Amino acid sequence: MDSRRTDALVAAAALVAITGGTYANLSWTGPLERPLDPAALTLIVVASLTLAFRRTAPLAAGVVAAAAGVVYYALHYPGVFTSAPALASIYTLAALGRRKAAIWLSLALATGMYGLMAIAEDDPPPGSWMGLLSGWLVAMVVIGELTRHRRAYLRAVEQRAEEAERTREEAALRRAGEERLWIAQELHDSLTHSISVVNVQVAVAMQLLERDPARVRESLAAIKESGHEAMRELRATLGVLRQSEPEEAGLARLPRLVSRAEGAGLRVAHTVAGTPYTLPPEVDRAAYRIAQEALTNVLRHAGAATVTVAVEYDPSKIVLRVENDGEAGTAGPGMGLIGMRERAVAIGGSLTAGPHDDGGFAVRAELPVRVPA
């Protein structure tokens, strides 16, 4: 049911209640009351019908209702219920935030009623309801103000709840995006390295299949080991989705990574400077993945090369260098350098990559020990 239909029903109910209460003599204004006639009923109908417009045009409805009430009282018709629609309009004005209009309408109604009392030959007798009018006027303004504040409070609570819900949804979407990016990076770094090793070993096996079967066996063993490593990496990454504890990738696994690169035909020198210490998981994982991706790029792009993997431990940071003296290969462009730089920047570090002074290519990453919040 919409508000207009509700107000129309309220107006009809008020008309019945005011007419019935007046005929039943439930209120009186003094001994000079005259009986109801068509003019009195007309004023009651006009005052009651204003309630149908108290929300769409509260001030106009209130003015008409107040005027009908003053005229009704001036003609000495019985009862005070005709002023009730004007009180309802005063309440509505206050509840809608139109405080000044509510106060002015109250003053107009009070001035009309009490002005008639002042010029009357006799004072209102004790027990008449007209003495309560001022109290009702004040009460309507106060109740309207309280209603307005309560509605404003409820709206604020609803807005805060909606904002909190929207914030939670945005945070969930952001976390989901971060998880997808993390999974994509992990799969790219681990699987690309393993597949690159497999491709190199397959190429070696194809070349030596007829000339040196023993070397082919070694290549096949390396392919098998690379496949197992790829499966372990894939299970570890997917284990995060199952809320299990994955095998952490870190610099402790760097010697095995170097060994696999050597098995693929690279000559790798692995050096450590400074005193190793336990790194935060984010830094440890990023350093390992950067080294893994750098070795993958050497396998894919540099051909047979000598590689230096150097890790330098500093009290405030670690420095990772991966340098090679190979030549550019034929592999197409990829996302390796972008992924390495994103990993470094994500933990507050930096990464530079470019041709080495003595030929070849170099990657240098500086990763802070303390990850920014």
Side-chain angles (χ1 to χ4, degrees), residues 103-121:
I103 293 175
W104 280 111
L105 184 58
S106 300
L107 292 176
L109 181 59
T111 300
M113 291 294 189
Y114 289 117
L116 292 173
M117 294 180 193
I119 63 175
E121 296 180 357

Side-chain angles (χ1 to χ4, degrees), residues 29-224:
T29 56
L32 299 179
E33 290 180 344
R34 56 189 291 187
L36 289 174
D37 57 21
L41 293 176
T42 300
L43 291 173
I44 292 175
V45 171
V46 170
S48 300
L49 291 181
T50 60
L51 292 174
F53 307 96
R54 68 182 183 89
R55 277 190 281 195
T56 56
L59 183 57
V63 169
V64 173
V70 172
V71 173
Y72 183 92
Y73 179 70
L75 296 176
H76 298 288
Y77 289 117
V80 296
F81 295 133
T82 312
S83 300
L87 296 178
S89 294
I90 292 171
Y91 160 80
T92 303
L93 286 169
L96 293 176
R98 301 174 64 177
R99 183 190 308 168
K100 291 183 178 180
I103 293 175
W104 280 111
L105 184 58
S106 300
L107 292 176
L109 181 59
T111 300
M113 291 294 189
Y114 289 117
L116 292 173
M117 294 180 193
I119 63 175
E121 296 180 357
D122 298 325
D123 293 333
S128 70
W129 287 42
M130 298 307 297
L132 301 177
L133 180 62
S134 58
W136 281 107
L137 292 174
V138 174
M140 290 300 102
V141 175
V142 172
I143 294 174
E145 281 291 311
L146 292 177
T147 302
R148 181 176 67 86
H149 286 296
R150 177 172 175 76
R151 290 174 179 172
Y153 170 76
L154 293 177
R155 283 195 299 270
V157 171
E158 292 176 357
Q159 290 175 356
R160 286 197 296 270
E162 292 174 359
E163 182 65 25
E165 183 66 24
R166 183 164 54 251
T167 301
R168 283 195 294 269
E169 292 177 356
E170 292 174 354
L173 291 175
R174 183 172 62 253
R175 287 194 298 269
E178 292 172 352
E179 286 294 326
R180 287 195 294 269
L181 178 60
W182 181 84
I183 292 171
Q185 289 178 331
E186 291 291 306
L187 292 178
H188 173 272
D189 292 346
S190 59
L191 297 184
T192 300
H193 178 78
S194 298
I195 293 172
S196 297
V197 172
V198 168
N199 286 338
V200 171
Q201 294 293 350
V202 168
V204 172
M206 292 179 65
Q207 292 178 0
L208 300 178
L209 183 61
E210 300 293 338
R211 294 180 297 161
D212 194 348
R215 290 282 302 278
V216 172
R217 184 181 298 274
E218 294 177 1
S219 297
L220 294 177
I223 292 173
K224 181 179 180 180

Side-chain angles (χ1 to χ4, degrees), residues 160-363:
R160 286 197 296 270
E162 292 174 359
E163 182 65 25
E165 183 66 24
R166 183 164 54 251
T167 301
R168 283 195 294 269
E169 292 177 356
E170 292 174 354
L173 291 175
R174 183 172 62 253
R175 287 194 298 269
E178 292 172 352
E179 286 294 326
R180 287 195 294 269
L181 178 60
W182 181 84
I183 292 171
Q185 289 178 331
E186 291 291 306
L187 292 178
H188 173 272
D189 292 346
S190 59
L191 297 184
T192 300
H193 178 78
S194 298
I195 293 172
S196 297
V197 172
V198 168
N199 286 338
V200 171
Q201 294 293 350
V202 168
V204 172
M206 292 179 65
Q207 292 178 0
L208 300 178
L209 183 61
E210 300 293 338
R211 294 180 297 161
D212 194 348
R215 290 282 302 278
V216 172
R217 184 181 298 274
E218 294 177 1
S219 297
L220 294 177
I223 292 173
K224 181 179 180 180
E225 175 61 24
S226 298
H228 286 170
E229 182 67 18
M231 290 300 298
R232 283 195 295 269
E233 293 275 5
L234 184 59
R235 290 194 187 100
T237 303
L238 297 180
V240 176
L241 302 179
R242 300 187 180 97
Q243 303 299 321
S244 61
E245 291 294 332
E247 180 184 0
E248 286 291 340
L251 291 180
R253 296 173 57 187
L254 190 55
R256 184 167 63 181
L257 185 66
V258 169
S259 176
R260 291 177 58 203
E262 290 175 337
L266 297 178
R267 297 181 298 277
V268 184
H270 178 208
T271 63
V272 177
T275 303
Y277 52 83
T278 302
L279 297 171
E282 299 90 341
V283 179
D284 203 18
R285 185 186 306 112
Y288 176 82
R289 292 304 188 193
I290 291 173
Q292 183 183 51
E293 182 61 28
L295 288 174
T296 301
N297 286 345
V298 174
L299 285 170
R300 298 181 63 211
H301 297 276
T306 299
V307 186
T308 299
V309 179
V311 182
E312 179 182 346
Y313 286 86
D314 187 86
S316 61
K317 64 182 179 180
I318 64 168
V319 179
L320 173 68
R321 293 184 295 106
V322 181
E323 302 173 351
N324 72 85
D325 59 359
E327 297 179 355
T330 58
M335 298 293 292
L337 290 178
I338 296 176
M340 287 190 287
R341 186 169 288 109
E342 287 178 347
R343 286 186 178 275
V345 173
I347 58 174
S350 61
L351 183 140
T352 57
H356 195 268
D357 294 339
D358 299 330
F361 200 82
V363 174

